[in-house]
Amino acid sequence: MGNRLVRMGIDVGGTHTKAVAIDNATHEIIGKSSVKTTHDDRYGVAAGVVKAFQNCLRENDIAPEDVIFVAHSTTQATNALIEGDVACVGVLGMGPGGMEGFLAKHQTRLKDIDLGSGRSIKIKNRYLSDSEEDENTVRKAVEELKAEGAQVLVASDAYGVDDIAGEQFVFEIAHDEMGMETTVASDITKLYGLTRRTRTAAINASILPKMLNTANSTEESVRKAGVDVPLMIMRGDGGVMEINEMKKRPVLTMLSGPAASVMGSLMYLRASNGVYFEVGGTTTNIGVIKNGRPAIDYSVVGGHRTYISSLDVRVLGVAGGSMIRVNKSGVHDVGPRSAHIAGLDYAVFTDEEEIVEPRLEFFSPKEGDPEDYVAIRLKSGKRITITNSCAANVLGLVTPKDFSYGSVNSARKAMQPIADYLNTTVEDVAAQILTRAYEKIEPIIMELADKYRLEHDQISLVGVGGGATSLIGFCANKMNIKYSVPENAEVISSIGVALAMVRDVVERVVPNPTPDDIRSIKREAVDKAVESGAAPGSVEVHIEIDPQTSKLTAIALGSTEVKTTDLLKECSEEEARNLAAEDLRAKPGELNLVGQTPNFYVYNMDSRGRRPLRILDKKGFIKVQRTDGEVVLAKASSYRSIVSRMWEEMAIFKADAILRPDYYLCVGARVMDFNGTGELEQILMLMDVEMQMVDPSEDIVIVGAKNQL
């Protein structure tokens, strides 16, 4: 293989575990492998991870020493919580004594955590006042919790956000001396809110035994395969972390499967804003990509909000294999039951010769389900069913290269009895089916677009998963928005894992933060990213200030090695103009090149009193999409005066509020995003911190974007 360096991504799905090998320099896919997910193996899913990994190496002649990056996504954390495969948690709360400590004792005293599936995390509680915290009392409290059934421990101090010494003291005794797996609450989050912080730590502790077992088995097996680079694990927020960090904070891997798909989609998404649309057989995951990053929010477990950051994903019970429900008025519902759940084949994937004398039957897939789900009984006695994929094939929305392509004739013959029952055509039945699916999907897309302030002309659907083409085209056409289904959609999650960046987040409540506060949290975020496996010189930090909650957030992203070359071809101005025009739904000649630097092209146009704009990097990726804004090409020394002028001139006055502009600075190879920050003084302070090392004579692009929402 020569000197080719390889990145390996492995996605653990419910049915299959898929590995992809990618050339580190060109991002070309050079190998794929798929095996059945090994749920029942004595090594659990780790066995499948290793088998897929080894098969991919062997089948594509990749030497172990050429592998520089290995990462995998995992459903283990999510499944453990769904299935209730969790340990009993002992919570050792700490804080003041007497009346002063009454509130702290109450806030750290957790009830059992309902997992929403009839299962729960069992909790045992103890509280130690500050004056009681010595080695003997801690040891005694831990022993008492163990005697009550606690298998793991949480140390949560009322003052742990500001002083971790108490929690660390408990960890040294319980974990280091007594051998009990322990979560320190301040390791999970540094945000205030004692009950929520303690609950999040308890959820993390509850899955430690299961996750440690899987992690250790996977790591051991990868080492035996001859690969000696750090093993990375996908986080639920779209980044990866080194396996030793995962052993401390396994809860961060919740939703790592959808996260992997999102990150894979980003590799193909030239637009900075869009809606991610992953369609399986039973469910569809919908999420948002905003300003080139996936939308993140705090996870909810058993109806309780946590401090676990993960993708903000909506899960719908309508997908490629969803069955239909029919009454005399027509197709009145699609899903949530799927052909897989009912154990029936799709009509569209059934040989046409089998479909003889098809008859309409109604049935209940599971006990307690409605009895108006549709099955088609064939002359042979076999039953098949009608799905969204059947309807999409009938309407010509699926092409032969798509995973969901099947026999149109089979689908038409099987749907004819329904058309006869409803006194209509097969095409009308197919249209009704996809319309019912659309009616469930469209409100979710619009809800997410509203939440993340995506203007309608910025919404672009990116479809992945085997069932994507069954739904995405129909929905996009109905909504009059663009869509795409990338190549290699069936292994998009593995691609996302292979190309993911190391990510870590530091959050603090800091009223009126100073430049020193910002520099301090940036340093901490860089340190945490390096601990998670990032090369020090590769880490960049994005700062967010929430004026409502006084929350200061630092998001650090870095790679596992410092990239010295970028072999991707740069696009010409003409190519960039065509890409921008396509995104704006305009002719290239209607666009104005209003700013250009060695790294960016900036275009705008006149459109009904507004000036929509697009910023593209030299690789052709759209970094900023806004409906109305001003672009200024200036020297770095003048950013303060220009931003201050825009603050006043671009304000939009509403009856109950003043909508101030958002800002972007294109500096060097970076687009710095200053959206969602409160007052002008805070914005300028953030900019000052970011610009302090920039040469005042350097050309930069300053964008002010009007807020219409």
Side-chain angles (χ1 to χ4, degrees):
M1 236 220 63
N3 295 318
R4 184 163 59 174
L5 303 178
V6 179
R7 302 175 70 87
M8 298 283 296
I10 306 157
D11 177 60
V12 183
T15 305
H16 291 98
T17 295
K18 297 176 180 177
V20 166
I22 293 177
D23 187 298
N24 186 58
T26 64
H27 290 181
E28 173 194 1
I29 296 174
I30 55 178
K32 304 177 189 177
S33 179
S34 178
V35 302
K36 291 281 189 181
T37 300
T38 52
H39 296 289
D40 300 326
D41 193 275
R42 67 188 182 100
Y43 294 110
V45 298
V49 169
V50 173
K51 189 175 179 183
F53 173 75
Q54 290 177 329
N55 288 355
C56 197
L57 292 184
R58 185 181 65 256
E59 292 165 5
N60 299 285
D61 194 28
I62 301 169
E65 57 269 23
D66 292 333
V67 178
I68 62 165
F69 178 92
V70 183
H72 76 87
S73 69
T74 175
T75 58
Q76 288 287 92
T78 306
N79 291 347
L81 292 169
I82 291 172
E83 297 163 8
D85 189 5
V86 291
C88 177
V89 180
V91 176
L92 184 54
M94 296 167 284
M99 288 302 294
E100 190 185 353
F102 178 80
L103 184 60
K105 184 175 181 178
H106 175 73
Q107 290 178 327
T108 58
R109 190 172 185 84
L110 299 183
K111 296 178 180 177
D112 291 351
I113 299 171
D114 181 11
L115 296 174
S117 56
R119 299 175 174 87
S120 62
I121 301 171
K122 302 298 181 187
I123 306 290
K124 309 297 178 183
N125 294 279
R126 283 292 183 280
Y127 184 84
L128 293 179
S129 66
D130 295 335
S131 61
E132 297 177 298
E133 286 178 33
D134 60 43
E135 188 171 342
N136 289 331
T137 55
V138 169
R139 188 180 291 276
K140 182 178 179 219
V142 174
E143 291 288 4
E144 289 173 353
L145 288 166
K146 287 175 73 173
E148 291 180 28
Q151 299 161 288
V152 292
L153 188 75
V154 166
S156 183
D157 193 324
Y159 304 118
V161 170
D162 304 307
D163 183 1
I164 65 170
E167 293 177 354
Q168 197 60 41
F169 180 65
V170 171
F171 182 88
E172 288 167 1
I173 295 171
H175 181 271
D176 297 350
E177 295 180 22
M178 302 176 68
M180 192 174 190
E181 294 300 339
T182 301
T183 292
V184 173
S186 56
D187 270 352
I188 305 299
T189 180
K190 293 289 179 59
L191 289 179
Y192 297 112
L194 185 54
T195 300
R196 188 165 162 187
R197 184 158 56 90
T198 307
R199 184 187 302 117
T200 305
I203 295 168
N204 185 79
S206 75
I207 59 175
L208 273 173
K210 185 174 185 69
M211 297 298 289
L212 284 171
N213 183 53
T214 299
N216 291 332
S217 299
T218 305
E219 188 174 32
E220 182 186 346
S221 301
V222 169
R223 296 287 171 264
K224 285 182 178 175
V227 175
D228 197 29
V229 295
L231 179 62
M232 312 299 289
I233 310 295
M234 196 81 190
R235 295 162 50 119
D237 60 10
V240 291
M241 59 181 173
E242 209 268 332
I243 195 166
N244 288 325
E245 277 299 301
M246 190 277 275
K247 291 175 182 178
K248 289 196 299 187
R249 300 181 287 166
V251 74
L252 298 184
T253 66
M254 283 176 57
L255 290 177
S256 78
S261 294
V262 171
M263 302 316 292
S265 300
L266 274 171
M267 307 303 156
Y268 295 92
L269 186 67
R270 285 195 176 273
S272 61
N273 298 326
V275 175
Y276 151 83
F277 196 85
E278 182 187 28
V279 185
T282 302
T283 59
T284 293
N285 297 324
I286 301 175
V288 164
I289 296 165
K290 175 74 181 231
N291 297 326
R293 298 188 294 272
I296 305 292
D297 205 349
Y298 294 125
S299 295
V300 176
V301 176
H304 299 291
R305 291 189 72 80
T306 70
Y307 283 135
I308 305 160
S309 289
S310 61
L311 262 72
D312 191 3
V313 173
R314 304 290 188 275
V315 182
L316 291 181
V318 57
S322 297
M323 296 188 297
I324 68 172
R325 296 171 60 195
V326 170
N327 57 29
K328 274 295 186 182
S329 64
V331 179
H332 70 91
D333 200 5
V334 176
R337 296 302 190 196
S338 66
H340 173 72
I341 298 289
L344 301 179
D345 291 337
Y346 298 26
V348 74
F349 299 144
T350 304
D351 287 340
E352 185 181 351
E353 291 75 21
E354 288 189 65
I355 303 179
V356 178
E357 299 178 12
R359 289 185 293 110
L360 174 63
E361 291 186 356
F362 296 104
F363 77 114
S364 174
K366 295 286 184 183
E367 188 176 346
D369 286 346
E371 297 181 352
D372 55 0
Y373 280 92
V374 164
I376 303 297
R377 177 81 66 176
L378 307 179
K379 183 179 181 180
S380 63
K382 179 180 177 179
R383 290 200 312 167
I384 58 177
T385 194
I386 305 299
T387 66
N388 283 317
S389 294
C390 301
N393 273 269
V394 165
L395 294 178
L397 300 174
V398 187
T399 66
K401 65 179 178 57
D402 296 323
F403 187 82
S404 54
Y405 183 76
S407 169
V408 174
N409 287 339
S410 293
R412 289 185 63 86
K413 287 171 71 173
M415 289 168 67
Q416 189 62 54
I418 306 171
D420 295 342
Y421 178 77
L422 298 174
N423 195 30
T424 188
T425 63
V426 167
E427 286 79 9
D428 182 57
V429 172
Q432 287 188 46
I433 293 170
L434 294 184
T435 300
R436 298 292 89 78
Y438 165 76
E439 289 168 351
K440 292 184 174 184
I441 292 166
E442 189 266 352
I444 301 300
I445 292 173
M446 296 313 298
E447 178 200 331
L448 286 166
D450 182 62
K451 178 177 179 179
Y452 293 102
R453 298 166 62 193
L454 292 182
E455 290 141 342
H456 189 272
D457 67 353
Q458 296 176 9
I459 302 174
S460 172
L461 296 184
V462 182
V464 296
T469 50
S470 299
L471 294 173
I472 191 169
F474 187 88
C475 292
N477 292 336
K478 280 276 207 181
M479 297 178 71
N480 191 30
I481 57 180
K482 302 185 293 269
Y483 76 94
S484 61
V485 179
E487 288 183 77
N488 301 300
E490 78 282 4
V491 290
I492 203 78
S493 294
S494 302
I495 295 171
V497 176
L499 297 178
M501 303 280 280
V502 176
R503 190 180 196 274
D504 222 312
V505 180
V506 178
E507 298 174 303
R508 293 276 189 278
V509 174
V510 186
N512 303 311
T514 65
D516 283 343
D517 291 326
I518 292 168
R519 279 188 281 267
S520 173
I521 199 171
K522 281 187 73 171
R523 282 195 299 271
E524 188 174 348
V526 170
D527 290 344
K528 285 187 76 72
V530 171
E531 287 175 15
S532 293
S538 73
V539 181
E540 291 188 359
V541 181
H542 173 72
I543 300 289
E544 296 175 353
I545 299 175
D546 186 336
Q548 268 87 38
T549 61
S550 297
K551 186 173 73 171
L552 186 60
T553 304
I555 303 166
L557 286 171
S559 59
T560 52
E561 35 51 69
V562 180
K563 295 180 179 178
T564 55
T565 59
D566 187 350
L567 302 182
L568 296 178
K569 180 178 174 292
E570 290 193 356
C571 64
S572 66
E573 193 277 326
E574 182 183 2
E575 290 169 325
R577 179 182 290 270
N578 288 335
L579 290 166
E582 182 185 357
D583 195 61
L584 285 161
R585 301 187 179 185
K587 296 176 180 176
E590 296 174 329
L591 271 60
N592 310 304
L593 179 63
V594 289
Q596 184 174 349
T597 72
N599 295 287
F600 298 101
Y601 300 107
V602 188
Y603 298 94
N604 72 4
M605 62 181 291
D606 294 314
S607 176
R608 300 187 298 275
R610 294 182 176 181
R611 287 194 170 179
L613 62 91
R614 300 292 187 266
I615 300 177
L616 287 81
D617 67 15
K618 290 298 177 76
K619 307 299 180 187
F621 283 82
I622 299 172
K623 309 304 288 186
V624 175
Q625 298 164 279
R626 296 303 294 251
T627 300
D628 194 8
E630 180 183 351
V631 180
V632 178
L633 183 63
K635 298 296 181 184
S637 58
S638 58
Y639 71 89
R640 278 183 144 264
S641 60
I642 295 169
V643 166
S644 300
R645 173 183 64 77
M646 288 176 171
W647 181 261
E648 297 299 335
E649 293 180 0
M650 302 184 73
I652 295 177
F653 294 87
K654 299 283 188 181
D656 56 348
I658 303 175
L659 301 179
R660 298 292 185 179
D662 293 328
Y663 296 97
Y664 306 86
L665 299 185
C666 300
V667 183
R670 297 171 63 199
V671 177
M672 293 183 279
D673 174 356
F674 299 96
N675 294 344
T677 301
E679 296 301 316
L680 178 61
E681 292 73 22
Q682 287 185 329
I683 293 170
L684 290 172
M685 180 178 61
L686 284 175
M687 289 180 177
D688 291 343
V689 172
E690 296 292 346
M691 296 291 287
Q692 61 186 350
M693 301 300 291
V694 178
D695 186 334
S697 64
E698 183 176 339
D699 287 331
I700 66 171
V701 177
I702 303 168
V703 174
K706 290 183 179 180
N707 274 309
Q708 308 291 336
L709 303 175

